[in-house]
Amino acid sequence: MSRPSLTTPTEYCAALVRDLDRDRYVADLFAPAERRGALFALHAFNAEVARVREAITNPLAGEVRLQWWREALAGNGQGDVRANPVAAALLEAIDTHRLPRASFEALLEARQFDLYDDAMPTVNDLEGYAGETSSALIRLATLVLAPEAGAASAEAAGHAGVAYAVTGLLRAFPVHARRGQCYLPLDLLAAHGLTREDAVSGVASPALGEVLAALRALARRHHQAAMTALAGVSAAELPAFLPLTLVPGDLDRLERSHDPFAGVPPAPAFLRLWRLWRGAGTLAKAAKAL
């Protein structure tokens, strides 16, 4: 992955998010210029911890990486933590915007699940995982954008994060299955007569299709709940929710797929960009303060 000549941690974070999380990068560009640096730091941190599984050869190595982040955020890191540009930018964002460190600890705790091949136990556990990762990220972004963000914002972030995360996991289902990861809840699989092994077997079946359809329906319910909750969210916070507007289109593409293990080609970049631009207007209509 190429990098331009970067001189500051913020520039490094912006480039990292642009390369690894284009949807959030574009959404961050809708934020006021003076807030973007903190958003880039937040989303660069997320990109770093989300890809730990891809960079390790065993779970213990992943545990070590996540522990490094815990100690860095707690102020107990070994060496010059701020020599890491993402850590430097994130620590500045936390201090400047008084972001709750407990949210980062919970996110790192949830990300431990990614390191192993254990199946997600229940639908409630899946929603909890999404809440501590994706929802928490949206909530932290709202605090950067509007420090007074209240209960309505927290509710909207909760639903938006689950909708976005579950949709993302469904998009990544073929990749996860190939490496033996199972984010499909065991209780939902069992209800359709399936096991964890069936979910990662590479063999499509009507029952597996029903499980995936149930998760798409779950994502749609949370998407609708988030859109309803946005009626109590200020316009200043809307860039944090912008990726939510991609959920319906992604779910529609997944629904048209006949083989869940084959994967669905991503929508062209220009189309996702257009949907985000149009989505900004959609969110503005949903919010009370324009």
Side-chain angles (χ1 to χ4, degrees):
M1 181 166 52
S2 63
R3 286 275 183 269
S5 177
L6 304 174
T7 59
T8 70
T10 295
E11 290 174 331
Y12 182 92
C13 289
L16 187 70
V17 180
R18 184 194 63 217
D19 289 348
L20 300 179
D21 194 349
R22 182 58 67 93
D23 294 341
R24 288 192 175 100
Y25 174 77
V26 173
D28 291 345
L29 296 179
F30 281 80
E34 67 274 13
R35 306 281 177 173
R36 288 177 201 157
L39 295 177
F40 289 146
L42 184 62
H43 295 143
F45 161 74
N46 180 66
E48 288 280 24
V49 298
R51 63 175 179 159
V52 166
R53 170 70 184 245
E54 302 170 13
I56 61 173
T57 56
N58 61 77
L60 181 58
E63 294 273 9
V64 170
R65 291 198 180 204
L66 295 181
Q67 183 60 28
W68 184 92
W69 277 107
R70 288 193 187 91
E71 293 175 358
L73 294 174
N76 301 321
Q78 299 294 318
D80 184 7
V81 168
R82 291 180 184 267
N84 179 308
V86 177
L90 183 63
L91 289 169
E92 181 178 353
I94 290 172
D95 292 340
T96 300
H97 299 282
R98 300 179 181 179
L99 302 179
R101 292 174 187 262
S103 295
F104 293 95
E105 174 60 32
L107 188 153
L108 290 167
E109 187 70 23
R111 283 294 181 186
Q112 286 189 236
F113 181 86
D114 302 344
L115 306 180
Y116 298 90
D117 293 337
D118 299 333
M120 188 67 69
T122 68
V123 172
N124 284 342
D125 288 316
L126 176 61
E127 291 175 305
Y129 168 88
E132 291 179 338
T133 54
S134 182
S135 298
L137 205 62
I138 295 172
R139 178 56 174 166
L140 289 165
T142 65
L143 295 175
V144 169
L145 294 164
E148 71 283 0
S153 176
E155 180 183 359
H159 288 298
V162 176
Y164 190 73
V166 171
T167 302
L169 290 172
L170 289 170
R171 289 172 59 198
F173 172 72
V175 175
H176 292 152
R178 283 195 294 271
R179 62 191 187 196
Q181 284 181 285
C182 184
Y183 289 89
L184 305 189
L186 285 177
D187 62 344
L188 186 57
L189 289 169
H192 290 82
L194 299 175
T195 65
R196 175 201 172 282
E197 287 66 33
D198 294 320
V200 300
S201 67
V203 179
S205 69
L208 181 60
E210 292 170 3
V211 169
L212 296 173
L215 291 177
R216 291 196 300 271
L218 176 70
R220 290 189 191 278
R221 289 196 298 274
H222 279 285
H223 174 268
Q224 184 55 54
M227 295 300 292
T228 299
L230 282 172
V233 172
S234 71
E237 302 168 59
L238 294 184
F241 293 95
L242 195 49
L244 174 69
T245 63
L246 297 170
V247 165
D250 285 345
L251 292 174
D252 289 345
R253 290 171 67 83
L254 288 165
E255 195 165 358
R256 292 193 293 267
S257 174
H258 299 294
D259 182 358
F261 293 102
V264 177
F270 76 87
L271 180 58
R272 293 185 78 79
L273 180 61
W274 178 77
R275 285 177 175 169
L276 286 167
W277 176 81
R278 187 182 66 171
T282 301
L283 294 189
K285 291 178 182 178
K288 68 175 183 180
L290 306 179

